[in-house]
Amino acid sequence: MSNSDQSHEAHADGIIEAGKKVPFYFYLLFFGLIAWGVVFIGYFLFSGWNSHSEFDEKMATHTTTYNQSDTAAATPLTASTSIDAKKLFASYCSGCHGEDGKGGYGSDLSSPSYKYGRDTDTVKTSIADGREGRMPSFGNQLKDDEIAALAEYVLNIK
């Protein structure tokens, strides 16, 4: 058996180490990364930062910038302002009632009768207050005129 065959048997995977030292920059990178990790973890553990306070700060900024009561008062609703009920339906209703209102998880809105009645006031109440069990309320998310427009749109689904 030759020397190359013996070394192959000693290294069954076929990888033969050259016996060279690991370059200095490998050590530098390895221990530098460990040091950076310790500093990074220490900073976030002991600086008092947490994601909840960051969220609260951003939410406060957002709330002051986009306060809904201020924007509603600043832009009064006029006859020229139109509400796109189809877009509202796509945003708030189509997830349950289907894109065409024919049902899905929610009831079929094209049917000739509804469980709680098929008149404008009842549909507006269903949208604003929700219905026990499956229908969520949207009274806090939609304005009264948007609910009215959405109710009219729903009643006209065929």
Side-chain angles (χ1 to χ4, degrees):
M1 204 181 250
S2 70
N3 283 343
S4 65
D5 289 338
Q6 289 175 352
S7 65
H8 180 66
E9 289 176 15
H11 300 282
D13 60 0
I15 299 173
I16 300 171
E17 305 255 349
K20 293 182 181 178
K21 288 182 128 188
V22 176
F24 173 73
Y25 62 89
F26 277 24
Y27 287 112
L28 185 66
L29 289 173
F30 179 73
F31 290 112
L33 183 61
I34 290 173
W36 176 83
V38 168
V39 169
F40 185 81
I41 290 171
Y43 173 76
F44 283 106
L45 285 176
F46 302 116
S47 69
W49 177 89
N50 64 46
S51 61
H52 295 292
S53 61
E54 182 179 352
F55 173 78
D56 291 340
E57 284 177 24
K58 288 183 179 184
M59 197 61 188
T61 304
H62 175 77
T63 303
T64 57
T65 305
Y66 299 103
N67 191 347
Q68 292 180 351
S69 62
D70 291 346
T71 57
T75 57
L77 192 61
T78 61
S80 65
T81 305
S82 63
I83 297 171
D84 189 358
K86 186 174 185 176
K87 188 174 181 180
L88 287 173
F89 184 85
S91 297
Y92 292 97
C93 310
S94 65
C96 295
H97 294 284
E99 192 173 311
D100 56 358
K102 303 286 185 195
Y105 174 75
S107 58
D108 180 3
L109 299 176
S110 65
S111 68
S113 64
Y114 295 163
K115 182 177 182 178
Y116 297 101
R118 192 181 162 105
D119 60 274
T120 305
D121 290 333
T122 306
V123 173
K124 284 173 28 179
T125 301
S126 294
I127 294 169
D129 302 332
R131 294 294 180 179
E132 190 174 320
R134 294 169 65 169
M135 175 71 183
S137 66
F138 293 101
N140 293 334
Q141 298 173 30
L142 298 171
K143 298 174 189 161
D144 290 338
D145 54 335
E146 291 174 323
I147 292 173
L150 194 52
E152 287 299 320
Y153 179 81
V154 165
L155 290 171
N156 289 317
I157 292 176
K158 301 280 186 231

